[in-house]
Amino acid sequence: MISLPLRDDDEENDTYEAKMLLIGDGESLPPIPLRDGAPELHKYNIRSIESTVVIRELTSQGLSFQLWPAASTFVTLLDNYRRDPSNSPLTATLSSLKPSSPLNILELGSGTGVVGIAAAITLSANVTVTDLPHVLDNLNFNAEANAETVERFGGKVNVAPLRWGEADDVEEVLGRNVDLILASDVVYHDHLYEPLLKTLRLMQLEGKRFIFLMAHLRRWKKESVFFKKARKLFDVEVIHSDVPQEGSRIGVVVYRFTTKQPNQNRRIVSC
């Protein structure tokens, strides 16, 4: 994987040790140069479709407007799945979903929307990307910037507000008949652990299969609190681990959360 440095956001330096945009295992495409302080446009090279996804990043606006390593890992996994599903850690999950097409996917904490957009393209899926209301303008921008490519490969991207822990918001997005839930780099602020877990609990509909895939790059020991709480509510398995980048002890890990089943041996997750 090839990495490109991003500009530091001084206000958020205490939140992340380093900020890297991992383009994938193919050709790296550097940011389109713009004047200082202006938005940055990044291109993700999606080799399986021989095209690119263009994402606007607004680093000065905060965390939700930036690109993060876990999202880039997810994009690479989706790209590789389309190229060779027989050798993908996503295959077991995706092949277990209903055979009808297209898939209906919901992304939590979408930020720039790169994962949801890539999923719509590589899986030819209907994807709803969600975040807080103030993030939606940039989400809409990125969805519209890639709409032609998404449509060309049989996908669709919808944008919707979703405040974690708010039952009304969850009910609204679940009306779209969700088959799979995705997220990346959503476990960072500890005051958001409970709202995120509440949102996931609300999404467990009776008689409906629940599958949540989450890419995560661990930064602090306190994050283990989230996983300890999550394991009490869900079966949690590791389905993929990145090789750590130079200077790091760990890489991005992708977890699968499913409805907790009694008396089943599951892979233990250590965080």
Side-chain angles (χ1 to χ4, degrees):
M1 300 180 75
I2 301 170
S3 62
L4 293 171
L6 298 180
R7 292 198 310 253
D8 285 341
D9 181 352
D10 293 337
E11 186 175 327
E12 302 296 348
N13 276 346
D14 61 338
T15 303
Y16 286 94
E17 298 174 356
K19 300 177 178 180
M20 302 294 289
L21 171 61
L22 307 181
I23 297 298
D25 58 1
E27 179 186 359
S28 64
L29 299 171
I32 298 171
L34 299 170
R35 66 184 183 277
D36 188 43
E40 289 186 3
L41 298 180
H42 294 264
K43 288 186 177 181
Y44 278 74
N45 184 20
I46 310 296
R47 296 173 62 190
S48 61
I49 64 168
E50 298 182 347
S51 188
T52 57
V53 168
V54 179
I55 296 295
R56 182 175 72 175
E57 182 185 30
L58 304 171
T59 57
S60 64
Q61 299 300 309
L63 298 177
S64 298
F65 300 84
Q66 301 177 43
L67 293 160
W68 301 105
S72 297
T73 288
F74 224 141
V75 171
T76 298
L77 289 177
L78 289 164
D79 187 16
N80 289 341
Y81 171 80
R82 184 178 177 95
R83 292 168 60 198
D84 183 12
S86 66
N87 192 33
S88 170
L90 300 180
T91 298
T93 298
L94 295 174
S95 63
S96 71
L97 300 175
K98 66 178 186 180
S100 61
S101 181
L103 288 176
N104 293 309
I105 297 175
L106 174 69
E107 185 186 11
L108 302 179
S110 300
T112 63
V114 64
V115 172
I117 292 167
I121 293 170
T122 58
L123 303 178
S124 301
N126 290 334
V127 179
T128 300
V129 293
T130 68
D131 214 306
L132 294 171
H134 75 279
V135 183
L136 300 189
D137 281 349
N138 196 51
L139 261 179
N140 274 306
F141 178 93
N142 288 331
E144 292 171 6
N146 296 282
E148 182 179 342
T149 303
V150 170
E151 183 178 2
R152 179 155 50 98
F153 289 95
K156 186 176 181 181
V157 175
N158 303 296
V159 178
L162 178 56
R163 297 163 296 172
W164 294 350
E166 296 294 330
D168 290 344
D169 286 12
V170 172
E171 183 178 356
E172 178 68 23
V173 296
L174 285 183
R176 304 172 192 270
N177 188 26
V178 175
D179 300 308
L180 177 65
I181 305 166
L182 307 178
S184 61
D185 261 334
V186 292
V187 177
Y188 45 94
H189 289 319
D190 50 6
H191 70 276
L192 295 177
Y193 295 172
E194 285 298 336
L196 176 55
L197 289 170
K198 181 180 178 181
T199 297
L200 295 175
R201 290 197 302 270
L202 289 168
M203 290 181 172
Q204 290 190 96
L205 300 179
E206 186 175 354
K208 176 77 174 176
R209 191 173 186 191
F210 171 87
I211 303 178
F212 171 50
L213 298 182
M214 183 184 79
H216 176 67
L217 178 61
R218 182 185 176 188
R219 293 171 175 87
W220 295 299
K221 290 183 179 179
K222 68 180 182 180
E223 294 166 8
S224 63
V225 173
F226 171 83
F227 289 94
K228 288 178 181 177
K229 292 181 177 181
R231 289 200 301 273
K232 294 179 180 179
L233 302 168
F234 309 97
D235 285 330
V236 183
E237 302 173 85
V238 173
I239 66 168
H240 171 78
S241 297
D242 270 353
V243 175
Q245 297 297 301
E246 184 177 355
S248 300
R249 293 184 295 107
I250 56 175
V252 173
V253 177
V254 180
Y255 300 89
R256 178 171 55 212
F257 294 56
T258 54
T259 302
K260 197 167 187 64
Q261 302 294 326
N263 302 321
Q264 297 217 358
N265 293 323
R266 295 285 178 172
R267 182 177 176 184
I268 301 299
V269 178
S270 59
C271 301

